[in-house]
Amino acid sequence: MKIELKNICKSFNKKSNTIDHMSLTIEDGEFVALLGPSGCGKSTTMLMIAGIYKPDSGEIYFDGQLVNDLEPKDRNIGMVFQSYALYPHMTVLENIAFPLKQQKVPKEERIERAKQAAEMVQLGHLLDRKPSELSGGQQQRVALARAIVKKPKVLLLDEPMSNLDARLKIEMREEISRIQKELGITTILVTHDQEEAMTMADRIAVMRDGKIIQYSTPMELYNHPKDYFVAQFIGTPPMNFLKGKLSNNQLRLRNMTIELDRKWLDFDGEETDVHVGIRPHDLKLGNNGDIRIRGIVHMVEPIGHSQIVNVKVGNEQVRFFVEPNIKMEYGREVEISADISAIHLFDKATGRSLKKDSVNQGQIEELVS
Amino acid sequence: MEVTSYRSETAPVMTSVSKWKKRIPFIIAYGVLGLTTLPIILMYLWLLLSSFSEQMKYGFIPVRFTLENWKFLWTSVEHGGSELPSIWTATWNSFVFSGTLTILEVIIGVMAGYALSRLEFPGRQALMKTTLLLHAFPSIALLIAVYYILNFMGLFDSLWGVVLVKTALQIPMTAWIVKGFFDDVPWDVEWAGLIDGCSRLKVWFTIVLPLIKPGIAAVSIFSFLSGWSEFLLLYTFILSDENVTLASYLQRLISDPNLVNYGLLSAVSLFYMLPVLLFFIFTQKSLMQVSVGGGKRV
Ligand SMILES: Nc1ncnc2c1ncn2[C@@H]1O[C@H](COP(=O)(O)OP(=O)(O)O)[C@@H](O)[C@H]1O
Ligand SMILES: [Mg+2]
């Protein structure tokens, strides 16, 4: 089912909008992640799509049909809540069969289908337990089974993995992706974990303060962040930022002056303070690149196939990767470099990206239609 | 006590001196508790003995076993020159009174509690504050006003009238207790029900109410007990013999201090207590088990 939000506003007090003129289109069968820090309005958005909250203004369409006033029960959605929200007085089987019972599915078929759903999330052996007798991971699976059992048109997942340990998280991620592909359900995943969003979603909507900052594919977000906030949020380890000054086509970064191609910039030429962003992956030890930075080794974190080295450049810190066989000594000065094409520029005052191809609107529009 | 014996078994090498030392805190605790509850226990014991004996020598030594005092159960008894109403009428009336009170209180209290806990309406805060104040109001201060109202409505000397008055006085507290239970039911669970295909009303009956069952049990028990022990309102607003309840029945036995038959009084008192004891034995489990909320424990 195609979901469209048009100019949605929602506020819980008179002072500010929790959701502020938000528009979002989710294609049929698409897996979209709402990514943003805690309190930015992700759950509120979900609950409006579910019909629990009514938007103050704006419209929500399912397959082109206005559903603002449609009751939650008539929307044919399945939802996994942040807290799982299992029914404590029912067994696992009763919990999973509950949505079917409401649809008046005959008892035998209901139990059969509930068992199938339970098998799908590998819960077949726990059907007689009460939720309080399950671990967090198992409760999460029950919630997922309950959400998919009635084969809904839309699946809403509100931070379903925030309470699982790292290993379970990876397992559940794969499981959810598999089920989503298998059933072809339009799915919205809410998360504050960028890695989760990057690995699972077809498209990601990055949110801040009730607004969508950027809505594109994971790779587009990674390669062409439109905003300082997005650049900060996406990628592990996070993008490095150094202070710089841009005027005309000259970028002053530490003691360097770098000539940039004017065509490359979306910039009026006036002197501006900028954040210069470079991904850790784009930095190499040595002086082979266009931009060279000297820094003092400050921390080394081996991660098996590589090591993350943290150097101090003046007051700022820069992270990059080094081959595991190179020995890095604490306190030593090293030189690192990157290609000029690898840098991102963000206006310090507005956060807007100053690189032209980073706001590749045409490309995104193409993806949508 | 179990704890001490368990310890001495698992540590057989312990000397008897240290064994005693371990027990000292328990002995002190039980001793203090025992001493303070002794007067209450003795009172009940006295009641029991006095109801089954012809007289109490020096006030506390029972003399000769008899069932004379329990005669009120099967025949009508005379007291102070007039015949008392049948004890069974009084018992029935007490049950009707407490039962109706319980049903009314639970139904109204649960609905009011839900509204206070969940619905946003103007004046909600003020209402919650004043309900508590209302409860602090002594019912004796209202007697005259209530008399006028009951009289006006033709409900004077009627159990139903008193039930209504008592319900009104109890509702604020009941609603408050129930509100607390509703507060513990997470919104998410209710929302999940809506999304899973229930209407609002159905969510209420199939999900929310089962979760506050312990609360409903607690409120029912409290209101039944308070109805059973209600005296003042019944004594004031009920005159006729056929509407008498057990508390007023007891009162008649002691109304004239020169004519108190202590044996009969004890027997009737015990009879009055019996349903409460039974009720408590059967319901204490629901009183103890007070926990709601599902899902993960963070
Ligand atoms: N029912 C509510 N009443 C009042 N404020 C709310 C309510 N629900 C959410 N909010 C506020 O709206 C903001 C966004 O909340 P939420 O959507 O839950 O954020 P997220 O899920 O992104 O962490 C928060 O500041 C929160 O305090
Ligand atoms: Mg949330």
Side-chain angles (χ1 to χ4, degrees):
Chain A
M1 187 150 60
K2 180 174 172 177
I3 302 171
E4 284 167 281
L5 307 189
K6 287 202 174 142
N7 245 328
I8 296 289
C9 287
K10 175 77 188 173
S11 133
F12 292 106
N13 52 41
K14 290 181 190 77
K15 278 171 264 156
S16 64
N17 275 346
T18 301
I19 300 297
D20 194 10
H21 297 281
M22 180 165 158
S23 296
L24 182 71
T25 304
I26 296 151
E27 294 300 323
D28 184 31
E30 200 178 16
F31 193 145
V32 165
L34 289 183
L35 177 64
S38 266
C40 71
K42 306 181 298 291
S43 297
T44 308
T45 309
M46 288 287 245
L47 290 171
M48 283 195 289
I49 295 173
I52 302 288
Y53 290 157
K54 281 210 166 46
D56 297 339
S57 65
E59 297 96 42
I60 302 176
Y61 295 95
F62 283 5
D63 274 342
Q65 190 194 348
L66 186 71
V67 293
N68 276 29
D69 294 319
L70 201 62
E71 289 287 321
K73 70 182 168 70
D74 301 323
R75 294 194 180 200
N76 200 4
I77 45 185
M79 180 157 177
V80 175
F81 283 86
Q82 207 163 353
S83 61
Y84 310 150
L86 301 177
Y87 310 126
H89 57 301
M90 300 182 195
T91 64
V92 168
L93 187 66
E94 286 166 339
N95 259 285
I96 300 176
F98 188 79
L100 298 177
K101 196 171 170 186
Q102 303 317 311
Q103 293 181 332
K104 310 232 160 35
V105 175
K107 190 161 183 193
E108 264 170 41
E109 187 193 339
R110 196 199 304 163
I111 289 176
E112 192 50 43
R113 280 171 66 184
K115 279 183 176 160
Q116 270 172 23
E119 285 304 329
M120 216 165 180
V121 294
Q122 287 138 38
L123 269 177
H125 56 298
L126 297 171
L127 295 176
D128 297 326
R129 302 251 190 113
K130 286 274 174 69
S132 57
E133 297 160 348
L134 300 178
S135 72
Q138 290 165 337
Q139 290 184 16
Q140 200 270 324
R141 282 152 197 257
V142 179
L144 185 61
R146 186 180 66 184
I148 58 175
V149 73
K150 64 176 176 189
K151 305 212 166 65
K153 288 278 178 55
V154 182
L155 183 60
L156 304 177
L157 308 168
D158 191 350
E159 310 214 16
M161 283 166 278
S162 56
N163 283 63
L164 304 184
D165 60 57
R167 237 188 79 99
L168 257 179
K169 227 181 231 183
I170 294 175
E171 270 176 39
M172 276 323 289
R173 247 189 236 167
E174 287 165 358
E175 203 145 338
I176 290 175
S177 295
R178 178 178 59 84
I179 290 170
Q180 195 266 338
K181 293 278 168 310
E182 236 172 84
L183 304 178
I185 311 179
T186 310
T187 303
I188 307 177
L189 169 79
V190 158
T191 178
H192 60 252
D193 179 350
Q194 57 91 22
E195 204 176 309
E196 209 170 283
M198 296 285 281
T199 50
M200 295 171 74
D202 299 327
R203 278 198 288 172
I204 300 174
V206 181
M207 282 182 70
R208 182 184 56 188
D209 299 337
K211 289 196 185 71
I212 291 182
I213 307 288
Q214 188 171 1
Y215 182 37
S216 10
T217 61
M219 285 323 287
E220 179 74 13
L221 281 181
Y222 185 85
N223 292 325
H224 306 295
K226 191 169 117 172
D227 189 278
Y228 177 58
F229 178 77
V230 177
Q232 260 185 329
F233 216 85
I234 302 282
T236 30
M239 190 186 273
N240 299 303
F241 292 101
L242 295 167
K243 285 192 202 81
K245 255 193 188 15
L246 186 64
S247 61
N248 233 339
N249 62 343
Q250 295 200 318
L251 171 66
R252 262 183 294 129
L253 176 63
R254 305 200 51 78
N255 50 8
M256 290 171 286
T257 306
I258 303 154
E259 296 277 327
L260 298 171
D261 190 345
R262 196 70 178 76
K263 275 186 296 188
W264 199 76
L265 293 173
D266 174 21
F267 173 59
D268 60 11
E270 238 173 273
E271 183 174 274
T272 315
D273 282 326
V274 292
H275 292 291
V276 181
I278 311 172
R279 295 244 176 240
H281 273 286
D282 294 325
L283 282 164
K284 294 277 170 305
L285 206 55
N287 53 6
N288 291 333
D290 313 316
I291 299 170
R292 279 166 232 128
I293 305 166
R294 291 186 159 274
I296 305 219
V297 177
H298 171 61
M299 191 151 60
V300 182
E301 299 169 68
I303 48 168
H305 59 89
S306 180
Q307 42 187 339
I308 303 174
V309 179
N310 193 326
V311 296
K312 259 202 148 124
V313 180
N315 298 330
E316 294 154 318
Q317 297 192 9
V318 172
R319 287 196 197 84
F320 63 101
F321 289 95
V322 170
E323 301 287 310
N325 51 5
I326 298 175
K327 181 136 176 56
M328 300 301 294
E329 275 172 47
Y330 282 79
R332 218 183 70 185
E333 196 185 53
V334 292
E335 184 163 42
I336 46 180
S337 61
D339 279 345
I340 204 158
S341 60
I343 65 167
H344 300 262
L345 293 173
F346 302 98
D347 188 326
K348 198 171 173 194
T350 63
R352 195 175 66 90
S353 172
L354 300 175
K355 245 174 101 174
K356 216 168 230 167
D357 64 355
S358 68
V359 203
N360 207 331
Q361 205 63 48
Q363 208 175 323
I364 300 166
E365 288 301 327
E366 239 170 59
L367 275 167
V368 171
S369 53
Chain B
M1 291 310 277
E2 258 173 36
V3 177
T4 45
S5 63
Y6 165 77
R7 284 209 180 144
S8 56
E9 268 166 34
T10 50
V13 281
M14 227 183 248
T15 64
S16 64
V17 175
S18 72
K19 202 162 114 188
W20 273 106
K21 256 191 191 159
K22 289 254 170 192
R23 284 188 179 180
I24 282 174
F26 292 96
I27 292 169
I28 294 174
Y30 280 99
V32 170
L33 290 176
L35 272 179
T36 44
T37 40
L38 200 59
I40 300 168
I41 293 170
L42 284 181
M43 262 161 48
Y44 283 113
L45 196 65
W46 184 91
L47 217 53
L48 194 67
L49 292 176
S50 136
S51 77
F52 284 110
S53 51
E54 272 181 13
Q55 69 172 108
M56 297 295 268
K57 214 169 163 186
Y58 312 122
F60 63 91
I61 300 168
V63 183
R64 245 171 292 145
F65 175 82
T66 175
L67 286 177
E68 180 71 14
N69 294 326
W70 291 88
K71 216 174 60 185
F72 68 89
L73 288 179
W74 55 86
T75 58
S76 53
V77 284
E78 278 206 0
H79 182 75
S82 67
E83 193 172 307
L84 287 170
S86 157
I87 187 82
W88 297 110
T89 310
T91 311
W92 170 249
N93 285 339
S94 274
F95 267 112
V96 168
F97 179 76
S98 316
T100 324
L101 177 72
T102 307
I103 293 167
L104 279 180
E105 236 183 82
V106 167
I107 293 176
I108 302 174
V110 164
M111 293 196 286
Y114 185 79
L116 286 179
S117 164
R118 286 291 205 252
L119 307 183
E120 278 296 336
F121 51 90
R124 173 166 165 267
Q125 288 296 332
L127 190 67
M128 289 205 288
K129 277 177 201 146
T130 41
T131 37
L132 266 197
L133 193 71
L134 218 66
H135 184 75
F137 230 77
S139 52
I140 197 160
L142 298 172
L143 281 183
I144 293 169
V146 169
Y147 168 77
Y148 277 111
I149 294 171
L150 285 182
N151 213 6
F152 176 77
M153 294 171 69
L155 286 171
F156 186 71
D157 193 22
S158 142
L159 277 180
W160 304 116
V162 187
V163 164
L164 289 181
V165 173
K166 179 80 177 162
T167 309
L169 290 172
Q170 296 268 90
I171 279 298
M173 203 58 199
T174 311
W176 255 95
I177 296 173
V178 175
K179 173 192 173 290
F181 280 89
F182 278 122
D183 285 345
D184 283 347
V185 178
W187 277 104
D188 286 3
V189 175
E190 226 172 303
W191 290 338
L194 290 177
I195 289 172
D196 285 345
C198 297
S199 63
R200 258 165 212 283
L201 204 62
K202 191 144 191 211
V203 165
W204 205 65
F205 280 112
T206 55
I207 294 168
V208 182
L209 279 194
L211 290 184
I212 65 149
K213 243 194 225 156
I216 294 178
V219 166
S220 325
I221 294 163
F222 287 137
S223 53
F224 187 87
L225 292 184
S226 94
W228 193 257
S229 58
E230 175 58 36
F231 168 68
L232 185 68
L233 294 173
L234 289 165
Y235 176 65
T236 319
F237 298 125
I238 301 283
L239 299 179
S240 49
D241 269 358
E242 79 252 31
N243 283 339
V244 78
T245 52
L246 281 175
S248 315
Y249 189 100
L250 261 182
Q251 191 274 338
R252 293 198 188 187
L253 295 180
I254 47 173
S255 56
D256 186 346
N258 300 322
L259 269 175
V260 180
N261 176 348
Y262 283 104
L264 179 61
L265 182 64
S266 313
V268 177
S269 304
L270 282 176
F271 179 78
Y272 182 40
M273 267 164 47
L274 212 59
V276 178
L277 283 181
L278 290 178
F279 191 71
F280 187 73
I281 288 167
F282 286 118
T283 54
Q284 63 164 338
K285 231 177 108 194
S286 342
L287 271 184
M288 300 298 164
Q289 153 223 47
V290 174
S291 79
V292 243
K296 70 193 170 191
R297 300 195 184 117
V298 190

